[in-house]
Amino acid sequence: MQTLTLTAANCPDRVARITPPVVLAPMAGITDLPFRRVVARFGAGLVVSEMVASQEMAQEKPSVRARARAELGLGDARTAVQLAGREAYWMAEAARIAADGGAEIIDINMGCPAKKVVGGASGSALMREPDHALRLIEAVVGAVDVPVTLKTRLGWDDACRNAPDLARRAVGAGVAMVTIHGRTRCQFYKGAADWAAIADVVHAVPVPVLANGDIRSAADARAALLASGAAGVMIGRGAQGRPWLPAQVAAALQGLPLPRAPEGAALVDLVAAHYQDMLGFYGRDLGLRVARKHLGWYADAAGGTPALRRALQTATDPAQVLRLLPDALSPEPTVVAA
């Protein structure tokens, strides 16, 4: 697979390279710093932060912004920050803060289908207002000297599949890469992602396009690339409980031996380290709650029993969670949860 080179519109000497072109998608409440670091260690070409509300980020007190920058891991290699919002001023200000803090790439969210986001006329709601969407893109591109990318869906609904036109206008404004989730907003996550429809965007723009949606294996990635003609893939829900998946997909697409998924003691060590990182990142009480979904996904991926999965997710003592991990992550546990 090729290396994707993204050039900053305002600074041609400022480039970001994505090798391999297999990217971890931004997912609210999931792709926090601890999870992104696990995925990055396995070898994803790029990891993207959870969506950040631009106005909130820009208006916070300096001390709060400093903590937010640290929590975003802006100094980490191969990291992009995704911004959402509706006001050009705040989008530009947040982009400056993120870029000044070390973000290699700024990604603009125009694809989130969540009612809370769309209700604020942000995310995929902007696909219904392409002129306003373009003003936001121009503001962000004009504010920073790092590459700016855009993530959208195919359109708002089947009557408004305007991703090719929006992508063309975005690239004209300086966007260096476009990612398309192969569904409309009104589909949410129902049905199957339409990878073939992404080809219309690929043909519309001269910059790299990533295919996103329903990529849960190397076979899915190959099929998505074949159908869309995209330059790479973005993996979201498929990496839940399997942070090694982007690296496996990248190896398969390059014809390299697949890194083995951790099993047994190696898997326990990985999950224990991720769990303890979450507790350190969020603090004990919040960390216990945030970790539950990740522990459940790990147990599901490992083929653990429902009883042990529940035990992991309801334990209120970190030491108890660590004791349960060897059996909860085994397809043939030797101990049955009480």
Side-chain angles (χ1 to χ4, degrees):
M1 296 186 73
Q2 62 181 332
T3 294
L4 305 184
T5 301
L6 313 185
T7 302
N10 296 327
C11 186
D13 293 334
R14 186 75 179 268
V15 300
R17 292 183 173 85
I18 304 176
T19 306
V22 178
V23 177
L24 176 69
M27 293 180 283
I30 299 169
T31 54
D32 56 16
L33 184 58
F35 185 67
R36 294 200 309 275
R37 283 180 169 167
V38 176
V39 174
R41 283 195 292 269
F42 278 102
L46 182 74
V47 296
V48 186
S49 76
E50 301 173 86
M51 178 179 64
V52 178
S54 57
Q55 184 170 349
E56 292 178 12
M57 182 177 186
Q59 282 188 312
E60 289 285 7
K61 296 177 182 178
S63 60
V64 177
R65 288 203 303 267
R67 187 172 70 247
R69 287 198 296 269
E71 292 176 349
L72 282 170
L74 298 182
D76 288 14
R78 295 178 296 169
T79 296
V81 171
Q82 188 183 72
L83 299 178
R86 178 164 179 82
E87 301 298 328
Y89 174 81
W90 295 119
M91 289 286 284
E93 286 298 300
R96 288 190 191 98
I97 291 168
D100 290 346
E104 293 185 358
I105 296 169
I106 303 297
D107 186 62
I108 301 174
N109 182 312
M110 293 189 181
C112 180
K115 292 180 180 179
K116 179 172 66 174
V117 175
V118 170
S122 298
S124 57
L126 289 163
M127 300 198 76
R128 293 188 295 182
E129 299 179 85
D131 291 342
H132 185 66
L134 187 65
R135 286 192 286 272
L136 301 184
I137 293 166
E138 290 171 338
V140 172
V141 171
V144 298
D145 290 332
V146 300
V148 174
T149 61
L150 174 68
K151 187 172 190 291
T152 78
R153 289 186 163 228
L154 296 175
W156 176 259
D157 56 21
D158 284 335
C160 180
R161 288 195 169 214
N162 60 342
D165 182 61
L166 179 59
R168 189 182 300 110
R169 298 178 71 183
V171 171
V175 160
M177 183 176 76
V178 179
T179 300
I180 304 293
H181 182 108
R183 292 181 174 87
T184 65
R185 184 272 172 179
C186 289
Q187 285 181 278
F188 285 88
Y189 296 98
K190 297 176 181 177
D194 185 353
W195 299 322
I198 297 172
D200 292 337
V201 179
V202 173
H203 296 148
V205 297
V207 302
V209 174
L210 299 184
N212 173 232
D214 293 351
I215 298 173
R216 298 185 174 89
S217 67
D220 291 338
R222 288 193 189 95
L225 292 174
L226 181 63
S228 66
V233 295
M234 178 177 278
I235 299 174
R237 291 172 295 163
Q240 293 173 182
R242 299 186 297 164
W244 50 84
L245 179 63
Q248 288 185 323
V249 167
L253 294 178
Q254 295 174 93
L256 300 174
L258 267 65
R260 288 178 59 88
E263 297 177 340
L267 178 60
V268 171
D269 289 345
L270 181 150
V271 177
H274 184 191
Y275 179 66
Q276 290 170 318
D277 196 11
M278 284 186 280
L279 296 183
F281 182 74
Y282 290 106
R284 183 184 184 279
D285 292 341
L286 179 57
L288 278 168
R289 296 194 296 273
V290 171
R292 288 171 184 160
K293 55 180 174 285
H294 289 281
L295 293 172
W297 291 325
Y298 279 125
D300 288 343
T305 67
L308 281 165
R309 184 187 194 278
R310 285 193 299 272
L312 271 184
Q313 294 184 297
T314 56
T316 57
D317 179 6
Q320 182 185 6
V321 170
L322 295 175
R323 286 194 300 269
L324 286 168
L325 283 178
D327 289 307
L329 299 176
S330 170
E332 296 179 359
T334 57
V335 177
V336 177

